[in-house]
Amino acid sequence: MRLSRLLWIPLLTGLWCLGTVCGHAGDRSALLVIDVQKDYTALDSGSRVCPEQIGPMISTVNRLIPHFADQKNDVIYILQNGGGPLNESLKTTGDLKFIKNWPSAFSNVEFEAYLKKSGARKLYITGLAAEFCVGATARDARSQGYDVTIVSNAVAAKNCDALKSHLLQFKRERIKIIDSDQVNSAPE
């Protein structure tokens, strides 16, 4: 009888375990890396996003990836179908990759199911493009009750002059916007 009580305590307290890492439901974070793919970021092939933003965005995402991985938070790569492989300069960790056919990562039901299973409730969004897939994913995540943060210097826009206005619009929509320097203390 004592064993059955021990098994119920985690369920009643909201404790989750994934491998050897345990925590409370809802305190896991995930870094989403959206569409940082060769076809969208290659400077020599007529980049589909602002060329000046690509290098700094990838560098920032590369600094964030080990931070999340070291804290046992998920790093999830979202790829647009037909966008090619991930940019070769992008660091990768693990095999959490989901392919989408529409702008929002939530258009992939396997991605949505994975988030629910993992217990991640705090999503940090990076990648491209701010006015399309980053925005669609952030809005869908917020509408589904996730705690959503866009990392401002880890996203790029199609139009070089429009990134700031897109970030301001997200802020008006009550989506958190932070700089990557603020992320260091954000994930638990």
Side-chain angles (χ1 to χ4, degrees), residues 92-130:
T92 57
T93 179
D95 292 327
L96 288 175
K97 295 178 184 157
F98 295 92
I99 297 173
K100 61 184 177 61
N101 291 312
W102 298 99
S104 175
F106 287 88
S107 65
N108 181 313
V109 295
E110 292 171 356
F111 165 72
E112 191 172 358
Y114 178 82
L115 281 182
K116 288 178 182 175
K117 180 181 172 187
S118 75
R121 297 302 305 161
K122 298 174 185 174
L123 305 181
Y124 292 82
I125 299 178
T126 66
L128 50 107

Side-chain angles (χ1 to χ4, degrees), residues 25-187:
D27 69 357
R28 286 182 48 85
S29 298
L31 177 68
L32 305 186
V33 182
I34 300 176
D35 296 348
V36 183
Q37 295 166 259
K38 189 174 182 178
D39 289 358
Y40 303 133
T41 58
L43 298 175
D44 60 349
S45 65
S47 171
R48 298 184 187 181
V49 295
C50 177
E52 294 87 38
Q53 295 172 1
I54 294 170
M57 180 264 306
I58 291 174
S59 293
T60 302
V61 172
N62 281 342
R63 284 193 308 273
L64 292 171
I65 289 170
H67 174 74
F68 278 79
D70 290 349
Q71 293 188 25
K72 307 295 187 223
N73 286 306
D74 290 327
V75 176
I76 303 173
Y77 301 90
I78 307 297
L79 291 87
Q80 180 66 41
N81 191 12
L86 289 170
N87 180 293
E88 58 276 353
S89 299
L90 185 67
K91 289 180 183 177
T92 57
T93 179
D95 292 327
L96 288 175
K97 295 178 184 157
F98 295 92
I99 297 173
K100 61 184 177 61
N101 291 312
W102 298 99
S104 175
F106 287 88
S107 65
N108 181 313
V109 295
E110 292 171 356
F111 165 72
E112 191 172 358
Y114 178 82
L115 281 182
K116 288 178 182 175
K117 180 181 172 187
S118 75
R121 297 302 305 161
K122 298 174 185 174
L123 305 181
Y124 292 82
I125 299 178
T126 66
L128 50 107
E131 59 267 56
F132 300 115
C133 301
V134 166
T137 299
R139 289 177 182 109
D140 283 354
R142 187 173 173 277
S143 73
Q144 293 188 34
Y146 289 92
D147 181 352
V148 181
T149 302
I150 294 176
V151 184
S152 62
N153 59 333
V155 296
K158 184 172 177 67
N159 180 328
C160 294
D161 299 325
L163 181 58
K164 287 183 182 180
S165 65
H166 291 298
L167 294 172
L168 286 172
Q169 178 59 38
F170 298 142
K171 201 171 191 176
R172 284 191 290 269
E173 295 174 30
R174 297 185 189 146
I175 295 170
K176 289 181 235 164
I177 307 296
I178 64 171
D179 185 86
S180 63
D181 292 337
Q182 297 170 289
V183 173
N184 291 330
S185 61

